[in-house]
Amino acid sequence: MLNSFLVFCKQQHLFHPKERFLLAVSGGIDSVVMAYIFKEAGLCFGIAHCNFSLRGKESEADELFVKKLSASLGVECYTTPFDTNKHAETHKLSIQEAARELRYDWFEKTRRKHKFKYICTAHHGDDSIETFFINLLRGTGLAGLTGIPLRNKRIIRPILFASKKDILQYAVQKKIKYREDSSNEGDDYLRNRLRHMLVPLLEELSPSFRQTMLGDMQRLDDTRVAMDHLFSKYKSEMLRKSDSQWYIMFADLKGKEPLRFWLFHLLHEFGFHQSVIDNLCTLLSQKFKSGKLVRNDKFELHVERDRLSIRKKSRNKEQIQSIKINKDIRVLSTPFPLTIEMLSFNKSISFPTESGIACLDAAKLEFPLVLRKWKIGDRFQPLGMKGSKLLSDFFSDQKFSSKAKEDVWVLESKGKIAWIVGHRIDERFKLRPETEKAFLFRLS
């Protein structure tokens, strides 16, 4: 076992023997065996143990056992208690998710505080096979079919080469004592059901099942690495960034087959699931209207005329949608800087005509004015036109992107739109020969 461990770590370039390691030890056979192997290999390590307070006296006994183990191995022991149930309830997580979040956050803090190079977990080959099936049942990409990764930033799995059988044999040979976790015996969790029911059945059908699976997962991982390497050459060209958003031009997707593959690899890092990818594939294969929007917890995906655009969702959940402007107001800072002046109209005066300025006939305005976000169904009479027009049609004519449309505000007087802020004034509010007073609105 020791020789296999050393050969595996060397072949995988997992670490340098002179580095310091923080071992995550629960007290169960896997992590305890890992600790003994590190000791036998002469490596420098400390032990970290989490008490999740889920099994009463049994949890307390686990902690005491790990402290005694650390003392017998002559290494430092770091422990911490967690109120896992409270954390799960507060953050709306399952108990397993809460425990995982708590332990990895604490492991990383402990690693940095005590200057360890890596966090080592005792996942083994059988765990990796079970993870393959868990991911397969839940739905996954190629990465999910490669089992548990050997390394993830500062986390490494140095006994991933070993099977549960190897670990048991080593424990018997070395007469190693360990704690049994009663939660591993039942079939309440999916992993336990796979471990106790599916895997034994597959071993019965094929005695070499475990070794075959590990080999298959290694080949899948090799394929994943090769594909990621090839895809990275295209990604920088296809996923472009401008200011605070990313976009994918439809022209760049042309000829890329299968389209579902390319969209998945371009969008999965933004948290868009397969159902979104499938809908996009259907949408892009037909004649479609721009402006479709998909959201998840962190990002928004817009389908525009010639591209997909992705941007982070606004954190301001209570964003202002409208504000009243009384006649005596001259400066606004919210929702954007705006100054208001009242001027005497004179035909000889040349008024500014920039897009960020609107000069409106004071006699036509009825206060309080309303500055608000535009909405579906809004109409106005564009300057120079006789009839009215839907704002949505105006946006299409002007080739507004989805983001540009979402950011549009209008200035309203008695239910009539006087100005599409920053874009176009309404014909009914323009300055005329008979105008005596004018209001000048200027975006600062």
Side-chain angles (χ1 to χ4, degrees):
M1 186 74 161
L2 175 62
N3 185 60
S4 296
F5 168 78
L6 294 173
V7 169
F8 175 75
C9 293
K10 185 176 181 180
Q11 287 178 341
Q12 298 295 331
H13 307 288
L14 199 54
F15 55 73
H16 190 280
K18 298 297 183 183
E19 290 166 338
R20 300 179 72 243
F21 309 92
L22 180 65
L23 274 54
V25 178
S26 66
I29 185 171
D30 304 333
S31 57
V32 171
V33 163
M34 178 175 67
Y36 271 90
I37 292 173
F38 267 68
K39 183 67 176 180
E40 192 176 355
L43 299 172
C44 180
F45 67 96
I47 285 176
H49 174 80
C50 303
N51 184 340
F52 295 107
S53 307
L54 294 172
R55 294 176 291 117
K57 291 182 179 179
E58 196 173 342
S59 293
E60 300 301 322
D62 287 346
E63 181 178 339
L64 181 60
F65 172 84
V66 172
K67 287 179 177 178
K68 289 181 178 179
L69 170 67
S70 302
S72 69
L73 295 175
V75 298
E76 289 291 329
C77 182
Y78 310 95
T79 63
T80 190
F82 292 121
D83 189 338
T84 311
N85 285 316
K86 183 178 180 180
H87 186 80
E89 183 178 349
T90 301
H91 298 278
K92 294 181 173 57
L93 301 170
S94 69
I95 293 297
Q96 286 179 305
E97 290 170 333
R100 176 182 173 81
E101 188 174 280
L102 287 167
R103 70 174 174 266
Y104 280 111
D105 284 349
W106 179 71
F107 287 157
E108 177 57 20
K109 289 176 184 175
T110 306
R111 183 195 70 79
R112 290 199 305 264
K113 181 179 179 180
H114 298 284
K115 296 180 173 57
F116 290 101
K117 182 73 172 181
Y118 294 110
I119 298 163
C120 301
T121 66
H123 293 98
H124 50 74
D126 291 15
D127 292 326
S128 195
I129 292 171
E130 292 158 11
T131 297
F132 169 94
F133 284 108
I134 289 172
N135 291 339
L136 186 66
L137 292 170
R138 290 175 177 171
T140 185
L142 184 58
L145 299 179
T146 60
I148 297 173
L150 181 59
R151 53 171 65 82
N152 182 10
K153 296 179 181 177
R154 293 292 183 177
I155 300 169
I156 59 175
R157 281 97 187 193
I159 63 168
L160 206 54
F161 70 94
S163 68
K164 188 72 170 186
K165 183 178 179 181
D166 295 330
I167 291 169
L168 284 166
Q169 287 178 344
Y170 182 84
V172 170
Q173 179 189 345
K174 299 292 182 178
K175 298 181 180 178
I176 294 172
K177 294 181 180 180
Y178 53 89
R179 295 279 296 169
E180 292 284 1
D181 185 343
S182 59
S183 65
N184 289 331
E185 299 304 316
D187 291 328
D188 295 337
Y189 300 119
L190 175 59
R191 184 176 293 276
N192 286 0
R193 292 199 293 274
L194 292 170
R195 181 178 301 161
H196 300 148
M197 300 164 67
L198 178 63
V199 172
L201 175 61
L202 292 172
E203 280 190 302
E204 184 180 325
L205 294 171
S206 174
S208 61
F209 161 74
R210 292 174 189 264
Q211 200 59 38
T212 300
M213 274 294 301
L214 290 173
D216 288 342
M217 288 192 295
Q218 182 59 60
R219 284 184 285 278
L220 284 169
D221 194 45
D222 290 343
T223 303
R224 177 193 62 81
V225 171
M227 290 179 67
D228 286 348
H229 177 70
L230 291 171
F231 181 75
S232 65
K233 295 181 179 180
Y234 292 95
K235 185 176 180 179
S236 60
E237 300 172 3
M238 297 178 68
L239 185 62
R240 311 180 192 186
K241 188 172 184 183
S242 176
D243 297 326
S244 60
Q245 71 174 338
W246 298 261
Y247 59 93
I248 303 164
M249 304 302 295
F250 293 151
D252 290 337
L253 290 172
K254 191 173 182 179
K256 298 292 191 300
E257 296 293 341
L259 183 59
R260 184 174 285 102
F261 166 86
W262 290 93
L263 287 174
F264 177 84
H265 282 82
L266 288 167
L267 297 175
H268 83 278
E269 68 179 85
F270 299 102
F272 292 107
H273 299 304
Q274 191 62 51
S275 59
V276 174
I277 308 300
D278 292 340
N279 288 335
L280 280 175
C281 287
T282 301
L283 190 64
L284 298 182
S285 67
Q286 303 170 349
K287 291 183 179 180
F288 61 91
K289 294 181 179 179
S290 63
K292 293 186 181 295
L293 170 65
V294 179
R295 290 187 176 95
N296 60 25
D297 291 342
K298 295 181 179 179
F299 294 93
E300 297 176 343
L301 173 64
H302 296 257
V303 181
E304 300 179 2
R305 285 174 175 269
D306 58 352
R307 66 184 182 179
L308 301 173
S309 65
I310 307 110
R311 66 176 183 269
K312 289 183 178 180
K313 286 175 66 175
S314 171
R315 294 183 178 180
N316 185 5
K317 295 182 180 179
E318 298 180 0
Q319 187 177 16
I320 294 173
Q321 295 296 311
S322 67
I323 187 170
K324 287 186 177 181
I325 302 176
N326 293 318
K327 198 168 187 176
D328 58 343
I329 292 178
R330 292 293 177 263
V331 178
L332 283 180
S333 58
T334 302
F336 41 75
L338 181 71
T339 59
I340 307 169
E341 297 179 63
M342 180 175 238
L343 304 171
S344 295
F345 180 67
N346 187 317
K347 294 180 185 179
S348 64
I349 298 175
S350 178
F351 284 88
T353 58
E354 302 99 285
S355 60
I357 293 176
C359 294
L360 307 176
D361 190 332
K364 301 292 184 180
L365 296 173
E366 295 188 47
F367 288 83
L369 304 177
V370 175
L371 187 63
R372 64 169 175 83
K373 284 274 195 176
W374 82 282
K375 59 182 184 289
I376 299 295
D378 276 342
R379 304 185 76 92
F380 85 125
Q381 186 177 346
L383 184 66
M385 284 186 61
K386 291 183 178 179
S388 67
K389 193 181 192 76
L390 284 168
L391 261 65
S392 55
D393 290 340
F394 172 75
F395 297 150
S396 295
D397 293 343
Q398 299 297 313
K399 294 181 169 54
F400 276 38
S401 68
S402 295
K403 182 181 186 305
K405 284 190 285 188
E406 189 172 312
D407 293 338
V408 169
W409 289 72
V410 297
L411 183 67
E412 187 179 77
S413 170
K414 200 75 172 182
K416 297 176 182 178
I417 293 175
W419 182 32
I420 302 178
V421 179
H423 299 286
R424 188 75 60 86
I425 68 169
D426 187 286
E427 172 73 17
R428 295 165 293 183
F429 296 88
K430 72 178 183 180
L431 302 180
R432 304 174 187 277
E434 63 270 21
T435 300
E436 296 180 356
K437 298 284 185 181
F439 274 104
L440 187 148
F441 298 84
R442 187 193 302 268
L443 292 173
S444 302

mmCIF file of all heavy atoms in Angstrom, residues 2 32 72 75 83 101 108 117 121 127 146 168 172 179 186 202 215 219 354 390 419 439:
data_model
loop_
_atom_site.group_PDB
_atom_site.id
_atom_site.type_symbol
_atom_site.label_atom_id
_atom_site.label_comp_id
_atom_site.label_asym_id
_atom_site.label_seq_id
_atom_site.Cartn_x
_atom_site.Cartn_y
_atom_site.Cartn_z
ATOM 1 N N LEU A 2 1.919 1.265 0.826
ATOM 2 C CA LEU A 2 2.809 2.420 0.891
ATOM 3 C C LEU A 2 3.500 2.633 -0.453
ATOM 4 O O LEU A 2 3.563 3.761 -0.951
ATOM 5 C CB LEU A 2 3.856 2.240 1.992
ATOM 6 C CG LEU A 2 4.919 3.343 2.066
ATOM 7 C CD1 LEU A 2 4.278 4.691 2.381
ATOM 8 C CD2 LEU A 2 5.987 2.989 3.115
ATOM 9 N N VAL A 32 -8.435 7.482 8.491
ATOM 10 C CA VAL A 32 -7.448 7.011 9.470
ATOM 11 C C VAL A 32 -6.314 6.275 8.749
ATOM 12 O O VAL A 32 -5.122 6.482 9.047
ATOM 13 C CB VAL A 32 -8.107 6.094 10.526
ATOM 14 C CG1 VAL A 32 -7.040 5.423 11.398
ATOM 15 C CG2 VAL A 32 -9.063 6.901 11.405
ATOM 16 N N SER A 72 -1.120 10.015 19.172
ATOM 17 C CA SER A 72 -0.336 8.792 18.984
ATOM 18 C C SER A 72 0.582 8.890 17.766
ATOM 19 O O SER A 72 1.652 8.274 17.732
ATOM 20 C CB SER A 72 -1.265 7.583 18.829
ATOM 21 O OG SER A 72 -1.980 7.649 17.605
ATOM 22 N N VAL A 75 1.245 14.375 15.838
ATOM 23 C CA VAL A 75 0.959 15.502 14.943
ATOM 24 C C VAL A 75 -0.083 16.420 15.578
ATOM 25 O O VAL A 75 -0.828 16.013 16.478
ATOM 26 C CB VAL A 75 0.451 15.026 13.564
ATOM 27 C CG1 VAL A 75 1.526 14.182 12.881
ATOM 28 C CG2 VAL A 75 -0.853 14.255 13.678
ATOM 29 N N ASP A 83 -22.969 23.784 14.098
ATOM 30 C CA ASP A 83 -24.414 23.566 14.232
ATOM 31 C C ASP A 83 -24.931 23.358 12.807
ATOM 32 O O ASP A 83 -25.446 24.277 12.171
ATOM 33 C CB ASP A 83 -25.091 24.773 14.895
ATOM 34 C CG ASP A 83 -26.553 24.497 15.242
ATOM 35 O OD1 ASP A 83 -27.131 23.577 14.616
ATOM 36 O OD2 ASP A 83 -27.114 25.201 16.100
ATOM 37 N N GLU A 101 -20.293 22.404 2.844
ATOM 38 C CA GLU A 101 -19.956 23.827 2.798
ATOM 39 C C GLU A 101 -19.186 24.245 4.046
ATOM 40 O O GLU A 101 -18.176 24.957 3.963
ATOM 41 C CB GLU A 101 -21.250 24.632 2.670
ATOM 42 C CG GLU A 101 -21.053 26.109 2.420
ATOM 43 C CD GLU A 101 -22.374 26.819 2.159
ATOM 44 O OE1 GLU A 101 -22.881 26.738 1.023
ATOM 45 O OE2 GLU A 101 -22.899 27.446 3.107
ATOM 46 N N GLU A 108 -10.089 25.300 4.588
ATOM 47 C CA GLU A 108 -9.273 26.291 3.888
ATOM 48 C C GLU A 108 -8.764 27.364 4.849
ATOM 49 O O GLU A 108 -7.603 27.784 4.759
ATOM 50 C CB GLU A 108 -10.083 26.928 2.752
ATOM 51 C CG GLU A 108 -9.366 28.038 1.990
ATOM 52 C CD GLU A 108 -8.034 27.623 1.379
ATOM 53 O OE1 GLU A 108 -7.793 26.409 1.187
ATOM 54 O OE2 GLU A 108 -7.212 28.524 1.089
ATOM 55 N N LYS A 117 0.350 23.415 2.846
ATOM 56 C CA LYS A 117 0.321 23.572 1.396
ATOM 57 C C LYS A 117 -0.981 23.044 0.808
ATOM 58 O O LYS A 117 -1.593 23.671 -0.046
ATOM 59 C CB LYS A 117 1.504 22.822 0.773
ATOM 60 C CG LYS A 117 1.612 22.935 -0.742
ATOM 61 C CD LYS A 117 2.083 24.292 -1.181
ATOM 62 C CE LYS A 117 2.358 24.313 -2.680
ATOM 63 N NZ LYS A 117 2.844 25.631 -3.138
ATOM 64 N N THR A 121 -8.010 14.877 1.341
ATOM 65 C CA THR A 121 -9.200 14.117 1.721
ATOM 66 C C THR A 121 -8.999 12.659 1.339
ATOM 67 O O THR A 121 -8.218 12.342 0.441
ATOM 68 C CB THR A 121 -10.465 14.668 1.030
ATOM 69 O OG1 THR A 121 -10.360 14.462 -0.385
ATOM 70 C CG2 THR A 121 -10.628 16.158 1.309
ATOM 71 N N ASP A 127 -15.254 5.427 -4.056
ATOM 72 C CA ASP A 127 -15.990 6.697 -3.957
ATOM 73 C C ASP A 127 -16.148 7.328 -5.338
ATOM 74 O O ASP A 127 -17.193 7.885 -5.665
ATOM 75 C CB ASP A 127 -15.236 7.688 -3.050
ATOM 76 C CG ASP A 127 -15.219 7.269 -1.595
ATOM 77 O OD1 ASP A 127 -16.209 6.670 -1.139
ATOM 78 O OD2 ASP A 127 -14.221 7.552 -0.917
ATOM 79 N N THR A 146 -16.146 11.486 -15.006
ATOM 80 C CA THR A 146 -14.745 11.148 -14.710
ATOM 81 C C THR A 146 -14.539 10.900 -13.225
ATOM 82 O O THR A 146 -13.400 10.762 -12.769
ATOM 83 C CB THR A 146 -13.808 12.275 -15.180
ATOM 84 O OG1 THR A 146 -14.142 13.486 -14.504
ATOM 85 C CG2 THR A 146 -13.940 12.491 -16.678
ATOM 86 N N LEU A 168 -9.127 -1.770 3.583
ATOM 87 C CA LEU A 168 -9.467 -2.724 4.648
ATOM 88 C C LEU A 168 -8.296 -3.674 4.927
ATOM 89 O O LEU A 168 -7.976 -3.967 6.087
ATOM 90 C CB LEU A 168 -10.703 -3.532 4.247
ATOM 91 C CG LEU A 168 -12.047 -2.799 4.344
ATOM 92 C CD1 LEU A 168 -13.136 -3.565 3.611
ATOM 93 C CD2 LEU A 168 -12.441 -2.600 5.812
ATOM 94 N N VAL A 172 -6.222 -4.071 8.486
ATOM 95 C CA VAL A 172 -6.083 -5.352 9.178
ATOM 96 C C VAL A 172 -4.608 -5.675 9.385
ATOM 97 O O VAL A 172 -4.176 -6.093 10.476
ATOM 98 C CB VAL A 172 -6.772 -6.477 8.370
ATOM 99 C CG1 VAL A 172 -6.415 -7.845 8.955
ATOM 100 C CG2 VAL A 172 -8.283 -6.276 8.361
ATOM 101 N N ARG A 179 -13.192 4.352 13.730
ATOM 102 C CA ARG A 179 -14.586 4.520 14.163
ATOM 103 C C ARG A 179 -15.527 4.135 13.030
ATOM 104 O O ARG A 179 -15.265 4.403 11.866
ATOM 105 C CB ARG A 179 -14.853 5.977 14.546
ATOM 106 C CG ARG A 179 -14.070 6.444 15.757
ATOM 107 C CD ARG A 179 -14.726 6.016 17.053
ATOM 108 N NE ARG A 179 -16.046 6.641 17.203
ATOM 109 C CZ ARG A 179 -16.920 6.273 18.125
ATOM 110 N NH1 ARG A 179 -16.639 5.302 18.975
ATOM 111 N NH2 ARG A 179 -18.098 6.882 18.216
ATOM 112 N N GLY A 186 -27.032 2.702 6.680
ATOM 113 C CA GLY A 186 -28.385 2.727 6.132
ATOM 114 C C GLY A 186 -28.408 3.060 4.654
ATOM 115 O O GLY A 186 -27.374 3.254 4.017
ATOM 116 N N LEU A 202 -23.434 -5.076 -9.993
ATOM 117 C CA LEU A 202 -22.562 -4.954 -11.162
ATOM 118 C C LEU A 202 -21.304 -5.819 -11.012
ATOM 119 O O LEU A 202 -20.808 -6.381 -11.991
ATOM 120 C CB LEU A 202 -22.174 -3.485 -11.366
ATOM 121 C CG LEU A 202 -23.326 -2.569 -11.791
ATOM 122 C CD1 LEU A 202 -22.884 -1.104 -11.764
ATOM 123 C CD2 LEU A 202 -23.824 -2.946 -13.176
ATOM 124 N N GLY A 215 -10.637 2.337 -15.175
ATOM 125 C CA GLY A 215 -9.948 2.528 -16.449
ATOM 126 C C GLY A 215 -10.776 3.367 -17.411
ATOM 127 O O GLY A 215 -10.257 4.259 -18.097
ATOM 128 N N ARG A 219 -9.940 7.107 -19.059
ATOM 129 C CA ARG A 219 -9.962 7.430 -20.488
ATOM 130 C C ARG A 219 -10.926 8.592 -20.770
ATOM 131 O O ARG A 219 -10.649 9.437 -21.632
ATOM 132 C CB ARG A 219 -10.341 6.189 -21.290
ATOM 133 C CG ARG A 219 -9.186 5.185 -21.422
ATOM 134 C CD ARG A 219 -9.540 4.013 -22.296
ATOM 135 N NE ARG A 219 -10.439 3.078 -21.623
ATOM 136 C CZ ARG A 219 -10.042 2.135 -20.774
ATOM 137 N NH1 ARG A 219 -8.750 2.003 -20.488
ATOM 138 N NH2 ARG A 219 -10.913 1.316 -20.210
ATOM 139 N N GLU A 354 -28.233 67.674 -28.722
ATOM 140 C CA GLU A 354 -27.600 66.388 -28.432
ATOM 141 C C GLU A 354 -28.625 65.404 -27.868
ATOM 142 O O GLU A 354 -29.638 65.794 -27.306
ATOM 143 C CB GLU A 354 -26.455 66.543 -27.415
ATOM 144 C CG GLU A 354 -25.362 67.502 -27.856
ATOM 145 C CD GLU A 354 -25.544 68.866 -27.227
ATOM 146 O OE1 GLU A 354 -26.447 69.595 -27.687
ATOM 147 O OE2 GLU A 354 -24.803 69.190 -26.294
ATOM 148 N N LEU A 390 -45.427 52.309 -31.241
ATOM 149 C CA LEU A 390 -45.056 51.553 -30.043
ATOM 150 C C LEU A 390 -43.569 51.744 -29.762
ATOM 151 O O LEU A 390 -42.751 51.730 -30.694
ATOM 152 C CB LEU A 390 -45.345 50.069 -30.224
ATOM 153 C CG LEU A 390 -46.803 49.611 -30.119
ATOM 154 C CD1 LEU A 390 -46.940 48.185 -30.622
ATOM 155 C CD2 LEU A 390 -47.285 49.715 -28.666
ATOM 156 N N TRP A 419 -40.547 62.330 -23.602
ATOM 157 C CA TRP A 419 -39.147 62.112 -23.995
ATOM 158 C C TRP A 419 -38.749 60.680 -23.690
ATOM 159 O O TRP A 419 -38.954 60.202 -22.563
ATOM 160 C CB TRP A 419 -38.251 63.090 -23.223
ATOM 161 C CG TRP A 419 -36.778 63.042 -23.529
ATOM 162 C CD1 TRP A 419 -36.184 62.743 -24.714
ATOM 163 C CD2 TRP A 419 -35.705 63.331 -22.616
ATOM 164 N NE1 TRP A 419 -34.814 62.825 -24.613
ATOM 165 C CE2 TRP A 419 -34.492 63.194 -23.331
ATOM 166 C CE3 TRP A 419 -35.659 63.713 -21.273
ATOM 167 C CZ2 TRP A 419 -33.247 63.403 -22.749
ATOM 168 C CZ3 TRP A 419 -34.425 63.925 -20.679
ATOM 169 C CH2 TRP A 419 -33.226 63.780 -21.416
ATOM 170 N N PHE A 439 -38.579 74.012 -20.979
ATOM 171 C CA PHE A 439 -37.817 73.278 -19.962
ATOM 172 C C PHE A 439 -36.708 72.529 -20.694
ATOM 173 O O PHE A 439 -36.969 71.821 -21.686
ATOM 174 C CB PHE A 439 -38.699 72.305 -19.200
ATOM 175 C CG PHE A 439 -39.410 72.915 -18.025
ATOM 176 C CD1 PHE A 439 -40.771 73.222 -18.111
ATOM 177 C CD2 PHE A 439 -38.723 73.209 -16.859
ATOM 178 C CE1 PHE A 439 -41.414 73.791 -17.018
ATOM 179 C CE2 PHE A 439 -39.367 73.769 -15.773
ATOM 180 C CZ PHE A 439 -40.725 74.079 -15.844
#
